Amino acid sequence: MPVNMKQLINLVEKEDWPFTQGHRLCPGCNAPMVAKWTTMTAKALGYEPVVGAATGCLEVSSTIYPFTAWNIPYIHNAFENVAATISGAEAAYRSLKNRGKLKTDKPIKFIAFGGDGGTYDIGLQSLSGAVERGHDFLYVLYDNEGYMNTGNQRSGSTPPGADATTEPVGKVKTGKVQFKKNIVEIVGAHENVYAATASTSDPFDFMAKVEKGLKHKGPAFIAVLAPCVRFWRIPESSGPKITKLAVETKYWPLYEIDRGVYKITRKPRNFKPIEEYIRSIGRFRKALQHPEYKEIIEEMQKYVDTRWERLLKLEEATKDMYLR
């Protein structure tokens, strides 16, 4: 039975928030939603979460000495190694428990948070290693599609046409030209892993996936589309509205891969054209003024259509597979 509103209300009435107010993240930032919903779900289910956070927007804005927004055990580590850090903590916990040196019966769960720069790019090696070794942890990626903490440089997650300081739109190039790295498929290609996408527009879909990830015996990974209002050039209140449009245009399909079995968790009745999503975000403004903007949109539309059809086929092909 998925976590429900009553459980969440009981949690906040009886206990302190595991991720509290008072952080320094930008007004309208979607990253604190990700941290709050993840840790609330864990606590509502009776787990004691131990969190690791990679250097990035979420970390630097929630742990400004001598203050912290984390009301649970928390580890800060370098930009590239949160998966290695949390896997080490999980291994130490198992060792202490097996030797009878940990005097607690509380179910402890290990959760790592990282941005797209620290996950798609610089942290991919430590993430793959931790997943391959089979550590029991949940990795939550808040995907704002760029190195936002250091000023909007492009990352492996930045979409084509988006204006970035290291891939500016100009006469020669239309910004970044490569498509996003498909991080969920990369993680899902490992063995005995639960991997999923989520968005800030659908908190209960997200929390249901957090619950699945926490209950999965082994590594779990959730990529959450979480806009940066500052460098996406969008109104502060529009983050969830934008991510809803991302789902409705097939840009960010909501699905999961449970040990090789695909399931699409949201299937909009009527899809919208990708151009509607692109025009709603200010960082595409320069690309839309470029002489080649029509080609950009056509290429992106073809890409999201093809990927959606592929997902449908993978869901059909794997629906009767045996889950080990």
Side-chain angles (χ1 to χ4, degrees):
M1 185 72 176
V3 66
N4 56 50
M5 184 62 74
K6 184 178 180 180
Q7 288 173 288
L8 298 175
I9 292 172
N10 288 338
L11 171 69
V12 298
E13 284 182 343
K14 295 177 181 178
E15 300 185 41
D16 291 332
W17 295 77
F19 182 82
T20 71
Q21 66 272 29
H23 52 75
R24 306 317 203 271
L25 287 150
C26 297
C29 176
N30 280 208
M33 299 180 194
V34 175
K36 186 166 290 187
W37 295 343
T38 302
T39 53
M40 281 177 62
T41 301
K43 292 285 281 186
L45 292 168
Y47 296 118
E48 292 298 325
V50 174
V51 165
T55 298
C57 286
L58 180 63
E59 178 273 319
V60 300
S61 300
S62 64
T63 56
I64 298 176
Y65 184 82
F67 306 104
T68 178
W70 299 93
N71 204 20
I72 49 180
Y74 170 87
I75 310 167
H76 165 229
N77 50 261
F79 195 2
E80 72 281 2
N81 65 337
V82 67
T85 299
I86 207 69
S87 67
E90 185 266 348
Y93 164 74
R94 282 189 289 109
S95 175
L96 290 169
K97 193 172 182 180
N98 290 340
R99 288 183 287 157
K101 294 187 176 183
L102 198 64
K103 306 302 182 182
T104 179
D105 293 325
K106 292 182 178 180
I108 295 174
K109 285 293 181 178
F110 295 87
I111 304 172
F113 290 97
D116 55 278
T119 306
Y120 283 79
D121 301 335
I122 193 170
L124 184 59
Q125 182 177 1
S126 68
L127 172 60
S128 178
V131 174
E132 185 272 330
R133 291 191 301 272
H135 291 279
D136 189 5
F137 74 108
L138 170 63
Y139 190 109
V140 181
L141 156 67
Y142 63 98
D143 190 351
N144 55 33
E145 299 189 324
Y147 290 84
M148 303 310 187
N149 180 47
T150 51
N152 190 32
Q153 294 84 16
R154 63 93 89 187
S155 78
S157 174
T158 307
D163 192 41
T165 54
T166 50
E167 288 276 17
V169 176
K171 294 180 180 179
V172 178
K173 289 183 68 177
T174 56
K176 183 171 180 268
V177 297
Q178 297 85 4
F179 287 104
K180 283 171 66 86
K181 188 185 295 181
N182 200 328
I183 191 69
V184 175
E185 297 290 331
I186 292 171
V187 176
H190 294 69
E191 295 297 328
N192 190 39
V193 65
Y194 174 82
T197 62
S199 80
T200 56
S201 64
D202 199 333
F204 282 98
D205 175 76
F206 172 47
M207 288 187 283
K209 289 169 178 172
V210 170
E211 181 172 353
K212 285 185 179 180
L214 292 171
K215 291 181 176 179
H216 176 70
K217 301 299 182 184
F221 176 87
I222 303 175
V224 192
L225 188 62
C228 166
V229 296
R230 170 72 178 85
F231 290 117
W232 283 33
R233 316 296 186 196
I234 58 176
E236 292 175 359
S237 62
S238 66
K241 180 181 178 182
I242 294 293
T243 59
K244 183 174 185 289
L245 194 54
V247 175
E248 293 173 338
T249 56
K250 306 177 196 170
Y251 176 78
W252 189 258
L254 297 181
Y255 71 103
E256 60 188 13
I257 310 170
D258 188 352
R259 290 160 289 175
V261 177
Y262 284 71
K263 181 182 179 182
I264 301 171
T265 59
R266 290 289 184 271
K267 294 181 179 178
R269 292 183 179 180
N270 298 300
F271 287 108
K272 297 177 180 178
I274 191 69
E275 185 171 356
E276 189 171 335
Y277 174 72
I278 292 171
R279 289 193 177 277
S280 69
I281 301 172
R283 64 175 176 164
F284 290 105
R285 179 178 55 83
K286 292 181 180 179
L288 290 168
Q289 296 171 350
H290 197 278
E292 298 178 10
Y293 86 93
K294 289 185 178 179
E295 286 83 353
I296 297 171
I297 291 173
E298 288 174 1
E299 190 174 2
M300 287 188 71
Q301 186 66 62
K302 182 180 178 181
Y303 173 76
V304 299
D305 289 344
T306 302
R307 185 178 57 179
W308 179 256
E309 291 302 317
R310 177 179 176 272
L311 279 174
L312 289 173
K313 291 177 180 178
L314 284 168
E315 182 181 50
E316 178 63 25
T318 61
K319 65 180 181 180
D320 297 322
M321 284 178 59
Y322 174 66
L323 297 178
R324 297 190 273 111

